[in-house]
Each structure stands twice: as C-alpha cells, then as structure tokens.
Amino acid sequence: MARLSREFYAQDTLEAARALLGKVLVRRLDGETLAGRVVETEAYVGRCDKACHAYHYRRTARTETLFAPPGTAYIYLIYGMYHCLNFVTEPEGEPAAVLLRALQPVAGIETMARLRYGDKPMTDYRRKNFLNGPGKVCRALALTRAENGLDLTGDTLFLCGRPEDAGLPSFPAAARERIVTGPRIGVDYAEEARDFPWRFRLVREE
DNA sequence: AGAACGATCGACT
DNA sequence: GTCGATCGTTCTA
C-alpha cells in the first residue's frame, strides 16, 4: 500500500500543509477502513510561532511528541472534551506539525456517523457539518490521546495520495479547486503569530 | 496545592 | 451572534 513517506513529512511545515490538501487520510479501526480527503489544514512551527505548543522549543510532557520523528501523529486534548490530530513535520528535533481541520468523507461513512452522532438520524445539517472541524474529525475517527505518538508510516493511521493506494475506489471526476489561504482559527492570544496566513483550504471554483 | 487557560463544539437567543 | 461544558496541561508558589 503506497502511503506518504517519512521524507514527505520531513519537509517544511508550510509546504507540507499545502501539499497535504487533497491527500487521503486512512484510519484502520477494528478491521474496518475509515477514510477522508484532506480539505483544510494549519501549520504550527515551534521555532518562530507563539501559537505552537512547542514555541521556542518549549519541551514538556505534552510537547514531547512534537520532537518525535516526522511522520508521527500528535494528538492532544483541547477544552477538556475534544481532540486535535496533527502530523509532525520537519527534520527530527524541529518541533512543528500540521493540524488537520477538515475532511471530506471517503470510506466507512456509516461508522464515522455513528461515532459522531450515535443513533441520531442523519440530517442535512449534520451532513453539512460532518467533518468540518478538528474535534469532529477526531471523534469520527475514534482518535484520542491513546493514539498520540502513532507512526504515520504504519498500518493504523496513514495518508496516501489517492484512494486506490489504500484499496479504496477512486474518486469521480475532479471538480476545479483552488487553495485559499488565511489566518488560523482560535489563536488570538498568540500576538503577532495570530495573523500569520497559515491556514489552507481546498475550495471548489465556481 | 491551586489557579488559569485553551489549535472546540453545539445549544440557544 | 453569544455562551457554557469540561479537564488535562502548565505555571506559580
């Protein structure tokens, strides 16, 4: 199964955040395959970014994962009730990562819907807001701190360029899309870094 | 030991 | 648009 290599993750974080758009995230759970297409990311760079947990190489129990090799999953608890999934980037020792903010569902949709909504029926509102936030993505993929530190070159959680790389049916004809850049969400406390245009979204052209 | 604070979400006016 | 939930992490003393 072709998946993104450690060298891919070792690149510059801003480049990685852009390059990850359109890639397919695969989560194997109890023998089932859950998958989604990456449509929104944010970059966090410890070297120079006050919004990054490892700003100025700050090393604590939590940030230890950001110092792990590129291609490691950094998952942390936020606001006491949600989790965020990040992909560790740059050469080992440079604490940096790409936050996954949104997916388009690709496979295992019923299971993801159950993880997200339980037995509540699917509605248009729920379909529209299914995987459009970092906490929602982690809920739908059953990712918690227990999965923090997972190796993304392994079999449990990984990214690939196309669905066929994971044995999934290919996408229908690709719509025209472009990358929209803007400031990151929820980092108003981060002084000058709050305005860095380090959020990347894949949006359909009209 | 205690306090402050979130890289969010969903319910509600 | 506003607001509260909820708890691990981090910092202060």
Side-chain angles (χ1 to χ4, degrees), chain A residues 21-49:
Chain A
L21 294 174
K23 300 289 195 285
V24 178
L25 177 69
V26 177
R27 157 74 157 145
R28 308 262 195 223
L29 180 67
D30 302 328
E32 193 180 0
T33 298
L34 313 180
R37 183 165 175 265
V38 177
V39 291
E40 185 176 344
T41 60
E42 286 178 359
Y44 288 85
V45 180
R47 186 193 316 115
C48 58
D49 172 15

Side-chain angles (χ1 to χ4, degrees), chain A residues 130-150:
Chain A
F130 190 26
L131 301 175
N132 62 346
K136 301 173 187 178
V137 167
C138 282
R139 181 66 69 107
L141 296 178
L143 293 172
T144 67
R145 288 185 310 148
E147 284 72 39
N148 180 42
L150 266 184

Side-chain angles (χ1 to χ4, degrees), chain A residues 183-196:
Chain A
R184 295 170 294 179
I185 303 295
V187 297
D188 288 353
Y189 61 87
E191 301 179 29
E192 78 282 352
R194 72 184 211 153
D195 300 319
F196 293 176

Side-chain angles (χ1 to χ4, degrees), chain A residues 14-184:
Chain A
L14 296 180
E15 298 292 330
R18 283 178 172 276
L20 281 165
L21 294 174
K23 300 289 195 285
V24 178
L25 177 69
V26 177
R27 157 74 157 145
R28 308 262 195 223
L29 180 67
D30 302 328
E32 193 180 0
T33 298
L34 313 180
R37 183 165 175 265
V38 177
V39 291
E40 185 176 344
T41 60
E42 286 178 359
Y44 288 85
V45 180
R47 186 193 316 115
C48 58
D49 172 15
K50 286 179 181 161
C52 182
H53 294 158
Y55 172 60
H56 202 61
Y57 301 91
R58 181 170 54 157
R59 224 168 163 142
T60 65
R62 182 174 64 165
T63 65
E64 204 54 38
T65 309
L66 288 166
F67 291 86
T72 299
Y74 171 46
I75 304 175
Y76 62 89
L77 180 71
I78 186 68
Y79 298 113
M81 31 181 19
Y82 300 103
H83 294 268
C84 290
L85 167 63
N86 301 251
F87 311 118
V88 174
T89 53
E90 312 230 354
E92 183 169 3
E94 279 299 326
V98 173
L99 168 69
L100 175 63
R101 289 199 60 91
L103 293 174
Q104 288 172 353
V106 167
I109 295 174
E110 292 196 2
T111 295
M112 293 193 287
R114 198 172 61 249
L115 286 164
R116 218 140 115 62
Y117 300 122
D119 293 324
K120 295 195 206 83
M122 185 57 76
T123 64
D124 286 344
Y125 179 82
R126 290 184 182 134
R127 229 184 308 278
K128 192 175 156 217
N129 296 284
F130 190 26
L131 301 175
N132 62 346
K136 301 173 187 178
V137 167
C138 282
R139 181 66 69 107
L141 296 178
L143 293 172
T144 67
R145 288 185 310 148
E147 284 72 39
N148 180 42
L150 266 184
D151 182 354
L152 297 169
T153 65
D155 294 322
T156 308
L157 182 68
F158 58 90
L159 285 139
C160 45
R162 334 163 160 283
E164 305 91 284
D165 295 337
L168 298 167
S170 58
F171 295 134
R176 225 167 45 189
E177 291 174 315
R178 63 188 269 252
I179 295 175
V180 173
T181 300
R184 295 170 294 179

